[in-house]
Amino acid sequence: MSFPDASIDYRRHPECYRIGHGERGVFHVQPYKDELLPLWAIRNEADARQAIEDLSARYRAYREQDDFVGMDMARKYLQMGYTRARRYARYPGGRKKDADGSLRQPGNADPEKARIAERYQVALDAVRSDDAYLRAKRDYQRRRKADRRR
């Protein structure tokens, strides 16, 4: 799967959206990137707590609007919060490699980032297990499959 086309307005053309793997597309799917990226943070616990609240609120707003693409993009930003915070928790400065290019062994580099990752994980799990999200995802996949058959 190639990266999403940033020139497409995925709110107007949700049929062009591809769910993809993990957090793929978070920096390309418009207008959601412009709405969600400013909310996202892992700098410190206070900022992360606010980011999680804001992203979760935006997720609920997309859910109320039956906007699956928005719901999935909010999920991806929560997932990105978890994965980035987890990386910083395990590697000094978030870098997996030393200056010479050799892999570092993961450790407990930053306990604050570990707590941030846990907070993001709780919010991410809530979205992943939300019946409305699961139903919208199934419906979206069915529509995509039916469109491909035509």
Side-chain angles (χ1 to χ4, degrees):
M1 177 182 141
S2 63
F3 281 109
D5 184 342
S7 68
I8 296 173
D9 181 332
Y10 288 90
R11 183 168 286 129
R12 288 187 180 164
H13 299 284
E15 71 280 0
C16 296
Y17 180 72
R18 306 294 178 267
I19 295 170
H21 180 72
E23 43 197 74
R24 191 168 186 89
V26 293
F27 299 120
H28 302 279
V29 176
Q30 291 290 6
Y32 303 100
K33 176 202 147 205
D34 287 347
E35 296 169 0
L36 297 168
L37 183 57
L39 305 176
W40 183 86
I42 62 167
R43 275 181 299 279
N44 56 54
E45 283 186 81
D47 288 349
R49 191 176 310 118
Q50 185 63 53
I52 292 165
E53 287 177 23
D54 292 346
L55 290 167
S56 296
R58 190 60 63 101
Y59 167 79
R60 289 188 301 274
Y62 293 140
R63 185 178 64 192
E64 289 172 12
Q65 298 164 7
D66 292 323
D67 181 349
F68 171 71
V69 177
M71 292 167 66
D72 197 51
M73 289 302 296
R75 188 247 336 143
K76 288 181 180 207
Y77 274 88
L78 292 169
Q79 186 168 347
M80 185 171 68
Y82 168 73
T83 58
R84 297 303 194 284
R86 198 75 218 124
R87 182 185 302 161
Y88 277 86
R90 297 178 73 194
Y91 299 97
R95 291 183 173 74
K96 293 181 179 182
K97 296 182 180 182
D98 287 324
D100 65 1
S102 61
L103 287 175
R104 294 178 171 179
Q105 290 298 315
N108 295 320
D110 190 335
E112 181 182 34
K113 293 294 192 269
R115 291 188 299 272
I116 291 169
E118 289 172 12
R119 288 180 183 276
Y120 269 102
Q121 181 70 57
V122 169
L124 176 59
D125 289 345
V127 169
R128 285 178 171 162
S129 64
D130 180 23
D131 288 335
Y133 173 77
L134 295 171
R135 191 170 34 259
K137 183 177 179 180
R138 257 191 325 272
D139 292 347
Y140 183 82
Q141 290 170 324
R142 283 187 195 128
R143 282 193 309 275
R144 293 261 316 124
K145 190 174 183 179
D147 289 347
R148 284 194 303 263
R149 287 188 202 148
R150 291 182 192 169

